[in-house]
Amino acid sequence: MNLGNRLKSNKKLTLNDLAGLAGVSTSTVSRALSDNPLIKKETRVRIQALAESHNFSINTAASRLRTQKTKVVAVILNLIDHTEQSISDPFLLKIVGDLNQALNSKGYDLLLSNSFMATDNWANYFINSQRADGLIVVGQGKSDEKVQEVAESNVPLVVWGDPKTKSHYPIVGSNNRLGGSIATEHLITGGCKNILFLGDPEHMEMTSRYHGYQDALEAHAISLDSAFTVACDITSSAAYDKISELILSKGLFFDGIVACSDMVALGAMRALKERYIGIPSDVGIVGFDDILMAELSYPSLTTIKQNTQRAAQVMVNKLITQFDGKTTDSSLIDIELVARQSTKHSL
């Protein structure tokens, strides 16, 4: 039976049939249907349109069995114990969204999980069980013990975190120490003299931001007072409670806040505004991340911008490099200060 008669017989169209109609190889059809960028865009569009017109869908399960590849990457949100931070955190959502876009552009799907839901043995659960081809872990937390276990299993792995920390796995992230220094420097040059660090200085990324805060104080001969290091969970509600408690117990003894994240900064701003404390006339605030809410808040929030879109592309590229059996190292993503209404202009 020739191809034309086969199509008329209502028999289910195969990959070979579609390749014959398109005048290309079956591998080209498979890649085009997976939106693989190795295939020219016009060819992908033509084959996808042809498949749609014939109600053709690729047998993904069979394809996985043949290639032993899932075309799936597991993204694990490495949340720390005893925190209220969750996947609803706007910064985590931003990273996940950018990772999904970067993975899709390379023909991969994203499987989202978190450190509370995933089993202790991430390599066995996701890779050895063929749920995913590789892992992207978002966050190093207070301890990278689980991440180290994955690295020792020699499975494809990339981590969003602090690239300046020593590790046996590739880390992609911002220069957190520099960001903390720039944020503090901005407040000092704006006239602030009594500056709080608000956040969790034991969290691996936040530790570097805290060290940057210390660097700027030292550069301006401002002594480090433990009373100005205010530890709290990295959520807006925790920051709100902590600043409210401080003002109630000690009064307004500070004129600047370096927050470890935008959500922490926004919680602090709410506590100040409810007590009619002027921002930035009485207290200047700098966040870290540049989530959408930072620009939309009132006053708008000065912050250290992390380029998560660029970071996502780098992370995916590094993971695919490992799929090809090659090694890769850590990468630093540029940051920048975005000055808005929550801080004064430099004096």
Side-chain angles (χ1 to χ4, degrees), residues 284-305:
I285 304 179
V286 183
F288 207 111
D289 291 335
D290 196 28
I291 60 176
L292 180 61
M293 292 167 64
E295 185 178 5
L296 299 179
S297 67
Y298 183 77
S300 56
L301 179 64
T302 295
T303 187
I304 302 296
K305 180 176 182 176

Side-chain angles (χ1 to χ4, degrees), residues 48-122:
Q48 289 167 6
L50 192 61
E52 185 177 357
S53 69
H54 287 281
N55 296 317
F56 176 86
S57 61
I58 192 166
N59 188 335
T60 305
S63 176
R64 289 176 179 176
L65 285 173
R66 286 194 306 271
T67 64
Q68 298 296 301
K69 297 295 182 184
T70 66
K71 300 297 287 183
V72 173
V73 169
V75 173
I76 303 174
L77 303 180
N78 193 16
L79 303 175
I80 62 175
D81 294 333
H82 312 298
T83 180
E84 294 183 7
Q85 187 186 33
S86 70
I87 189 174
S88 62
D89 183 291
F91 182 67
L92 294 181
L93 286 174
K94 190 171 187 294
I95 290 183
V96 170
D98 288 336
L99 281 170
N100 187 57
Q101 187 174 34
L103 286 167
N104 290 168
S105 72
K106 299 292 185 180
Y108 288 86
D109 289 325
L110 181 151
L111 172 62
L112 183 62
S113 186
N114 65 56
S115 52
F116 300 143
M117 296 296 293
T119 64
D120 288 337
N121 191 331
W122 294 348

Side-chain angles (χ1 to χ4, degrees), residues 268-319:
M269 284 176 63
R270 177 185 158 213
L272 294 173
K273 287 194 289 185
E274 284 187 0
R275 286 153 184 82
Y276 302 101
I277 295 170
I279 305 170
S281 57
D282 297 319
V283 178
I285 304 179
V286 183
F288 207 111
D289 291 335
D290 196 28
I291 60 176
L292 180 61
M293 292 167 64
E295 185 178 5
L296 299 179
S297 67
Y298 183 77
S300 56
L301 179 64
T302 295
T303 187
I304 302 296
K305 180 176 182 176
Q306 300 198 84
N307 190 341
T308 56
Q309 186 175 41
R310 173 61 183 154
Q313 294 168 348
V314 173
M315 283 189 278
V316 170
N317 288 338
K318 286 184 180 295
L319 198 66

Side-chain angles (χ1 to χ4, degrees), residues 4 20 114 119-120 130 132 150 153 178 185 201 249 280 285 328 342 344:
N114 65 56
T119 64
D120 288 337
Q130 290 193 297
V150 175
S153 301
L178 178 61
E185 176 79 23
S249 62
I285 304 179
T328 185
S342 69
K344 297 176 184 176

